[in-house]
Amino acid sequence: MKNLFKILIVAVAFLSLSFVKNENKVINVVIDSGHGGHDFGATIDELNEKNLINEITEKIKKLHNDSEVVFYYTRIGDQYMDLKDRANFINNIKPDLAISLHVNQNKNTDANGFEVFVTDKNDQYEKSKALAEKLTTKFSKTPLRIRGVKNGPFMVLRNSECPSMVVELGFISNENDRKYITSEQGQTEIAQTILEFASDLK
C-alpha cells in the first residue's frame, strides 16, 4: 500500500511539472512596422503607409493582453530603420515568428485585398508558408478580399533566421480597402486578428 501511495505521489508530481512547463511556454513575435522616418511608403493624398502601419502597431500594443505571447517592435513611432538593421533586430531576438506589416498600392485602383509573402530563398520557407496560410485563414473573417500566400524575395525575408512573412493589409489605392484600414473598427479588427493568430501559436 505504501508503495502504491509513493507511485501516486510521483505521478501527481510529474503531471504538475508537465502543466507548469506548458503554462510557462512563451511565444516571441517580432512586429516589423514597415517604413518610417523619411521613408513614407505608399502615399495617396495626405495618407501614407508609415503612419497607417504605426497606427495599427499601436492598436496591437494596446490590445495585447496575453502574457504567454511577447511582442518586440522594430520601430516605435516614426523612426527610419533600414532593411539590414531590421533583419539584424529580428535575428538578435531569435523569435518564433517575424511579421512585417505593410499596405499595398497599385495604379489600378480596382486592385484590392489582403496578401502574404514568404520566400523560398530561406531555410524557414516551409514553416513560414504554413504560418502564412494560417494567418490568411484568420483574415478571411475580415471584409478584406483574400489574395493568398505568394513568394516574394524581400530582403527581410531572405535574411531572417526564423519563420517570417510580409503582410500586405489591403491597398491604400483602393477606396474600399482604404476606408477599412483607416477606420477605427478596421484597425481594431486587424490588430485583434493578428493577436489571436499569435496566441494560437502556443
Side-chain angles (χ1 to χ4, degrees):
M1 190 69 179
K2 288 182 178 180
N3 288 336
L4 178 60
F5 183 72
K6 287 180 180 179
I7 292 171
L8 288 173
I9 291 295
V10 171
V12 169
F14 177 78
L15 287 172
S16 298
L17 288 172
S18 297
F19 284 123
V20 169
K21 184 178 180 181
N22 288 336
E23 288 175 2
N24 289 341
K25 182 180 180 182
V26 173
I27 297 296
N28 296 297
V29 178
V30 170
I31 297 294
D32 173 33
S33 303
H35 308 283
H38 65 266
D39 180 5
F40 285 73
T43 303
I44 182 169
D45 298 327
E46 299 300 316
L47 184 64
N48 63 66
E49 183 177 5
K50 69 166 187 173
N51 289 339
L52 184 53
I53 291 301
N54 190 57
E55 290 171 3
I56 293 170
T57 300
E58 288 297 324
K59 286 286 193 304
I60 293 172
K61 290 169 58 183
K62 180 180 178 180
L63 296 172
H64 175 227
N65 59 12
D66 188 341
S67 61
E68 295 180 336
V69 179
V70 178
F71 284 97
Y72 301 84
Y73 303 89
T74 55
R75 72 174 174 93
I76 301 296
D78 187 19
Q79 298 88 24
Y80 174 75
M81 192 175 196
D82 68 28
L83 297 176
K84 183 178 179 180
D85 287 339
R86 291 172 188 269
N88 287 339
F89 179 94
I90 291 167
N91 293 334
N92 286 334
I93 298 295
K94 296 180 174 61
D96 297 281
L97 176 64
I99 304 173
S100 187
L101 297 179
H102 293 263
V103 293
N104 227 329
Q105 187 173 30
N106 198 301
K107 290 181 180 180
N108 177 9
T109 56
D110 290 331
N112 67 94
F114 169 92
E115 60 189 357
V116 184
F117 290 90
V118 295
T119 182
D120 58 7
K121 306 299 181 184
N122 188 301
D123 292 339
Q124 299 290 330
Y125 171 65
E126 293 299 334
K127 289 182 180 179
S128 297
K129 185 178 179 183
L131 290 171
E133 288 171 349
K134 288 181 180 179
L135 180 61
T136 298
T137 299
K138 284 282 186 183
F139 268 90
S140 65
K141 299 175 184 178
T142 72
L144 294 168
R145 183 172 75 89
I146 300 301
R147 298 167 62 93
V149 177
K150 303 178 180 180
N151 187 50
F154 300 112
M155 181 179 174
V156 170
L157 299 182
R158 294 198 316 269
N159 292 359
S160 294
E161 297 169 359
C162 67
S164 56
M165 62 184 78
V166 169
V167 178
E168 297 282 359
L169 297 165
F171 283 72
I172 197 173
S173 49
N174 177 266
E175 183 178 0
N176 290 333
D177 279 8
R178 186 167 63 252
K179 285 180 179 178
Y180 180 71
I181 60 182
T182 58
S183 70
E184 181 73 20
Q185 179 181 344
Q187 291 184 2
T188 298
E189 287 180 356
I190 288 169
Q192 287 175 333
T193 301
I194 291 171
L195 290 169
E196 288 173 11
F197 165 72
S199 291
D200 287 348
L201 299 178
K202 293 181 291 184

